[in-house]
Coordinates of all heavy atoms in Angstrom, one line a residue:
P1 N 0.8 -1.2 0.0 CA 0.0 0.0 0.0 C 0.8 1.3 0.0 O 0.3 2.3 -0.4 CB -0.8 -0.1 1.3 CG -1.0 -1.6 1.5 CD 0.4 -2.1 1.1
Q2 N 2.1 1.2 0.4 CA 3.0 2.3 0.4 C 3.7 2.6 -1.0 O 4.3 3.6 -1.2 CB 4.1 2.2 1.5 CG 3.6 1.8 2.8 CD 2.6 2.8 3.4 OE1 2.7 4.0 3.2 NE2 1.5 2.3 4.0
I3 N 3.4 1.6 -1.9 CA 4.1 1.7 -3.2 C 2.9 2.0 -4.2 O 2.2 1.1 -4.7 CB 4.8 0.5 -3.6 CG1 5.8 0.0 -2.5 CG2 5.5 0.6 -5.0 CD1 6.4 -1.3 -2.7
S4 N 2.7 3.3 -4.5 CA 1.6 3.7 -5.4 C 1.7 3.1 -6.7 O 0.7 2.9 -7.4 CB 1.5 5.2 -5.4 OG 2.8 5.8 -5.9
W5 N 2.9 2.8 -7.2 CA 3.1 2.2 -8.6 C 2.4 0.9 -8.7 O 2.0 0.5 -9.8 CB 4.6 2.0 -8.8 CG 4.9 1.5 -10.2 CD1 4.9 2.2 -11.3 CD2 5.3 0.2 -10.5 NE1 5.3 1.4 -12.4 CE2 5.5 0.2 -11.9 CE3 5.5 -1.0 -9.8 CZ2 6.0 -1.0 -12.6 CZ3 5.8 -2.2 -10.4 CH2 6.1 -2.2 -11.8
M6 N 2.1 0.2 -7.5 CA 1.5 -1.1 -7.6 C 0.0 -1.0 -7.3 O -0.7 -2.1 -7.3 CB 2.1 -2.0 -6.5 CG 3.4 -2.6 -6.9 SD 3.3 -3.8 -8.1 CE 2.6 -5.2 -7.2
D7 N -0.6 0.2 -7.3 CA -2.0 0.3 -7.1 C -2.8 -0.3 -8.2 O -2.4 -0.2 -9.4 CB -2.4 1.8 -7.0 CG -2.0 2.4 -5.7 OD1 -1.5 1.7 -4.8 OD2 -2.1 3.6 -5.6
I8 N -3.9 -1.0 -7.9 CA -4.8 -1.6 -8.9 C -5.8 -0.5 -9.2 O -6.5 0.0 -8.4 CB -5.5 -2.9 -8.4 CG1 -4.4 -3.9 -8.0 CG2 -6.4 -3.4 -9.4 CD1 -5.0 -5.1 -7.3
P9 N -6.0 -0.2 -10.5 CA -7.0 0.9 -10.9 C -8.4 0.7 -10.3 O -8.9 -0.5 -10.4 CB -7.0 0.8 -12.5 CG -5.7 0.2 -12.8 CD -5.3 -0.8 -11.7
H10 N -8.9 1.7 -9.8 CA -10.3 1.7 -9.3 C -10.5 0.8 -8.1 O -11.6 0.5 -7.7 CB -11.3 1.4 -10.4 CG -11.0 2.1 -11.7 ND1 -11.1 3.5 -11.8 CD2 -10.7 1.6 -12.9 CE1 -10.8 3.8 -13.0 NE2 -10.6 2.7 -13.7
V11 N -9.4 0.4 -7.4 CA -9.5 -0.5 -6.2 C -8.8 0.2 -5.1 O -7.6 0.6 -5.2 CB -8.9 -1.9 -6.5 CG1 -8.9 -2.7 -5.2 CG2 -9.6 -2.6 -7.6
S12 N -9.6 0.4 -4.0 CA -9.0 1.1 -2.8 C -8.0 0.3 -2.2 O -8.1 -0.9 -2.0 CB -10.1 1.5 -1.9 OG -9.6 2.0 -0.7
T13 N -6.9 0.9 -1.7 CA -5.8 0.3 -0.9 C -6.1 0.3 0.6 O -5.3 -0.2 1.4 CB -4.5 0.9 -1.2 OG1 -4.5 2.3 -0.9 CG2 -4.1 0.7 -2.7
E14 N -7.2 1.0 1.0 CA -7.5 1.2 2.4 C -8.0 -0.1 3.0 O -8.9 -0.7 2.4 CB -8.4 2.4 2.6 CG -7.9 3.7 2.2 CD -8.9 4.9 2.6 OE1 -9.9 4.5 3.2 OE2 -8.6 6.0 2.2
V15 N -7.5 -0.5 4.1 CA -8.0 -1.7 4.8 C -8.4 -1.3 6.2 O -7.6 -0.7 7.0 CB -6.9 -2.8 4.8 CG1 -7.5 -4.0 5.6 CG2 -6.5 -3.1 3.4
S16 N -9.6 -1.6 6.6 CA -10.1 -1.2 8.0 C -9.4 -2.0 9.1 O -8.9 -3.1 8.8 CB -11.6 -1.3 8.1 OG -11.9 -2.7 8.0
A17 N -9.4 -1.5 10.3 CA -8.8 -2.3 11.4 C -9.6 -3.6 11.6 O -9.0 -4.6 12.0 CB -9.0 -1.5 12.7
R18 N -10.9 -3.6 11.3 CA -11.7 -4.8 11.4 C -11.2 -5.9 10.4 O -11.0 -7.1 10.8 CB -13.2 -4.5 11.1 CG -14.1 -5.7 11.1 CD -15.5 -5.2 10.9 NE -15.7 -4.3 9.8 CZ -16.7 -3.5 9.7 NH1 -17.8 -3.6 10.5 NH2 -16.8 -2.7 8.6
N19 N -10.9 -5.5 9.2 CA -10.4 -6.4 8.2 C -9.0 -6.9 8.6 O -8.7 -8.1 8.5 CB -10.3 -5.8 6.9 CG -11.6 -5.6 6.2 OD1 -12.7 -5.8 6.8 ND2 -11.7 -5.2 4.9
V20 N -8.2 -6.0 9.2 CA -6.9 -6.5 9.7 C -7.0 -7.5 10.7 O -6.2 -8.5 10.7 CB -6.0 -5.2 10.2 CG1 -4.7 -5.7 10.8 CG2 -5.7 -4.3 9.0
F21 N -7.9 -7.3 11.6 CA -8.2 -8.3 12.7 C -8.5 -9.6 12.1 O -8.0 -10.7 12.5 CB -9.3 -7.8 13.6 CG -9.8 -8.8 14.6 CD1 -9.0 -9.0 15.8 CD2 -10.9 -9.6 14.4 CE1 -9.5 -10.0 16.7 CE2 -11.3 -10.5 15.3 CZ -10.6 -10.7 16.5
F22 N -9.4 -9.7 11.1 CA -9.8 -10.9 10.5 C -8.7 -11.6 9.8 O -8.5 -12.8 9.9 CB -11.0 -10.7 9.5 CG -12.3 -10.5 10.1 CD1 -13.1 -9.5 9.7 CD2 -12.8 -11.4 11.1 CE1 -14.4 -9.3 10.3 CE2 -14.0 -11.3 11.6 CZ -14.9 -10.2 11.2
F23 N -7.8 -10.8 9.1 CA -6.7 -11.4 8.4 C -5.7 -12.0 9.5 O -5.2 -13.1 9.3 CB -6.0 -10.3 7.7 CG -6.5 -10.1 6.3 CD1 -7.0 -8.8 5.9 CD2 -6.6 -11.1 5.3 CE1 -7.5 -8.6 4.6 CE2 -7.1 -10.9 4.1 CZ -7.5 -9.6 3.7
L24 N -5.4 -11.3 10.5 CA -4.4 -11.7 11.5 C -4.9 -13.0 12.3 O -4.1 -13.8 12.7 CB -4.1 -10.6 12.5 CG -3.4 -9.4 11.9 CD1 -3.2 -8.3 13.0 CD2 -2.1 -9.8 11.4
T25 N -6.2 -13.1 12.5 CA -6.8 -14.3 13.2 C -7.1 -15.4 12.2 O -7.8 -16.4 12.6 CB -8.0 -13.9 14.0 OG1 -8.9 -13.2 13.1 CG2 -7.6 -13.0 15.1
I26 N -6.6 -15.3 11.0 CA -6.8 -16.3 9.9 C -8.3 -16.6 9.6 O -8.7 -17.7 9.5 CB -6.1 -17.7 10.3 CG1 -4.7 -17.4 10.9 CG2 -5.9 -18.5 9.1 CD1 -3.9 -18.6 11.1
F27 N -9.0 -15.4 9.5 CA -10.3 -15.4 9.0 C -10.5 -14.6 7.7 O -11.4 -13.7 7.6 CB -11.3 -15.0 10.0 CG -11.8 -16.1 11.0 CD1 -11.1 -16.3 12.1 CD2 -12.9 -16.8 10.7 CE1 -11.4 -17.3 13.0 CE2 -13.3 -17.9 11.5 CZ -12.6 -18.1 12.7
P28 N -9.6 -14.8 6.8 CA -9.6 -13.9 5.5 C -10.9 -14.2 4.7 O -11.3 -13.4 3.9 CB -8.4 -14.3 4.8 CG -8.0 -15.7 5.2 CD -8.4 -15.7 6.7
N29 N -11.5 -15.4 4.9 CA -12.7 -15.7 4.2 C -13.8 -14.8 4.7 O -14.8 -14.5 3.9 CB -13.1 -17.2 4.3 CG -13.0 -17.7 5.7 OD1 -12.2 -17.3 6.5 ND2 -13.9 -18.7 6.1
A30 N -13.8 -14.4 6.0 CA -14.7 -13.4 6.5 C -14.6 -12.1 5.8 O -15.6 -11.4 5.4 CB -14.6 -13.2 8.0
V31 N -13.4 -11.7 5.5 CA -13.2 -10.4 4.8 C -13.7 -10.5 3.4 O -14.4 -9.6 2.9 CB -11.6 -10.1 4.7 CG1 -11.4 -8.8 3.9 CG2 -11.1 -9.9 6.1
F32 N -13.4 -11.6 2.7 CA -13.9 -11.8 1.3 C -15.4 -11.9 1.2 O -16.0 -11.3 0.3 CB -13.2 -13.1 0.8 CG -13.6 -13.4 -0.7 CD1 -13.0 -12.6 -1.7 CD2 -14.4 -14.5 -1.0 CE1 -13.4 -12.9 -3.0 CE2 -14.8 -14.7 -2.3 CZ -14.2 -13.9 -3.3
A33 N -16.0 -12.6 2.2 CA -17.5 -12.7 2.2 C -18.2 -11.4 2.5 O -19.2 -11.1 1.8 CB -17.9 -13.8 3.2
L34 N -17.7 -10.6 3.4 CA -18.4 -9.4 3.9 C -17.9 -8.2 3.1 O -18.8 -7.3 2.9 CB -18.1 -9.3 5.4 CG -18.6 -10.4 6.3 CD1 -18.2 -10.2 7.7 CD2 -20.1 -10.7 6.1
Y35 N -16.7 -8.1 2.7 CA -16.2 -6.8 2.2 C -15.6 -6.9 0.8 O -15.2 -5.9 0.2 CB -15.1 -6.2 3.2 CG -15.6 -6.2 4.6 CD1 -15.1 -7.1 5.6 CD2 -16.7 -5.4 5.0 CE1 -15.6 -7.1 6.9 CE2 -17.2 -5.4 6.3 CZ -16.7 -6.3 7.2 OH -17.2 -6.3 8.5
G36 N -15.5 -8.1 0.3 CA -15.0 -8.3 -1.1 C -13.5 -8.2 -1.3 O -12.7 -8.6 -0.5
F37 N -13.1 -7.5 -2.4 CA -11.8 -7.6 -2.9 C -10.8 -6.8 -2.1 O -11.0 -5.6 -1.8 CB -11.8 -7.0 -4.4 CG -10.5 -7.2 -5.1 CD1 -10.4 -8.3 -6.0 CD2 -9.5 -6.3 -5.0 CE1 -9.2 -8.5 -6.7 CE2 -8.3 -6.5 -5.7 CZ -8.1 -7.6 -6.6
T38 N -9.7 -7.4 -1.6 CA -8.6 -6.7 -1.0 C -7.4 -6.9 -1.9 O -7.0 -8.0 -2.2 CB -8.3 -7.4 0.4 OG1 -9.5 -7.3 1.2 CG2 -7.2 -6.6 1.1
P39 N -6.8 -5.8 -2.3 CA -5.7 -5.9 -3.3 C -4.6 -6.9 -2.9 O -4.1 -6.8 -1.7 CB -5.1 -4.5 -3.3 CG -6.3 -3.6 -2.9 CD -7.1 -4.4 -1.9
Y40 N -4.3 -7.8 -3.8 CA -3.2 -8.8 -3.6 C -3.4 -9.8 -2.5 O -2.5 -10.6 -2.2 CB -1.9 -8.0 -3.5 CG -1.6 -7.1 -4.6 CD1 -1.5 -5.7 -4.5 CD2 -1.4 -7.6 -6.0 CE1 -1.3 -4.9 -5.5 CE2 -1.2 -6.7 -7.0 CZ -1.1 -5.4 -6.8 OH -0.9 -4.5 -7.9
L41 N -4.6 -9.7 -1.8 CA -4.8 -10.7 -0.7 C -6.1 -11.5 -0.8 O -6.4 -12.3 0.0 CB -4.8 -9.9 0.6 CG -3.5 -9.3 1.1 CD1 -3.8 -8.5 2.4 CD2 -2.4 -10.4 1.3
V42 N -6.8 -11.3 -1.9 CA -8.1 -11.9 -2.1 C -8.0 -13.4 -2.1 O -8.8 -14.2 -1.6 CB -8.8 -11.4 -3.4 CG1 -8.1 -11.9 -4.7 CG2 -10.2 -11.9 -3.4
Q43 N -6.8 -13.9 -2.6 CA -6.6 -15.4 -2.7 C -6.5 -16.1 -1.3 O -6.6 -17.3 -1.2 CB -5.4 -15.7 -3.6 CG -4.1 -15.4 -2.9 CD -3.6 -14.0 -3.1 OE1 -4.4 -13.1 -3.3 NE2 -2.3 -13.8 -3.0
T44 N -6.2 -15.3 -0.3 CA -6.0 -15.9 1.0 C -7.3 -16.4 1.7 O -7.2 -17.0 2.7 CB -5.3 -14.9 2.0 OG1 -6.2 -13.7 2.1 CG2 -4.0 -14.4 1.5
W45 N -8.4 -16.1 1.1 CA -9.7 -16.5 1.7 C -9.7 -18.1 1.8 O -10.2 -18.6 2.8 CB -10.9 -16.1 0.9 CG -11.1 -16.9 -0.4 CD1 -10.6 -16.6 -1.7 CD2 -11.9 -18.0 -0.6 NE1 -11.0 -17.5 -2.6 CE2 -11.8 -18.4 -1.9 CE3 -12.7 -18.8 0.3 CZ2 -12.5 -19.5 -2.5 CZ3 -13.4 -19.9 -0.2 CH2 -13.3 -20.2 -1.6
S46 N -9.1 -18.8 0.9 CA -9.1 -20.2 0.9 C -8.1 -20.7 2.0 O -8.3 -21.8 2.5 CB -8.7 -20.8 -0.5 OG -7.3 -20.5 -0.8
I47 N -7.1 -20.0 2.3 CA -6.2 -20.4 3.4 C -7.0 -20.4 4.7 O -6.8 -21.2 5.6 CB -4.9 -19.4 3.5 CG1 -4.3 -19.3 2.1 CG2 -4.0 -19.9 4.6 CD1 -3.8 -20.7 1.6

């Protein structure tokens, strides 16, 4: 997110604290189900 050159067009790089919590506790599928696409991390839902 600090490298603007890697931004995906029309996709926000902002991630809420709630989403970070889900990611850290290995519930990325909750992020995907409730909030949709997270740049470069969407594939982690299956993990």
Side-chain angles (χ1 to χ4, degrees):
Q2 308 305 317
I3 306 174
S4 58
W5 183 77
M6 283 289 288
D7 289 352
I8 300 174
H10 314 298
V11 176
S12 174
T13 59
E14 294 184 6
V15 180
S16 68
R18 176 175 47 193
N19 287 8
V20 171
F21 172 80
F22 282 132
F23 276 122
L24 292 178
T25 53
I26 316 186
F27 275 89
N29 48 328
V31 178
F32 183 70
L34 301 177
Y35 310 110
F37 191 95
T38 301
Y40 303 115
L41 292 177
V42 66
Q43 74 277 22
T44 62
W45 76 271
S46 67
I47 306 304

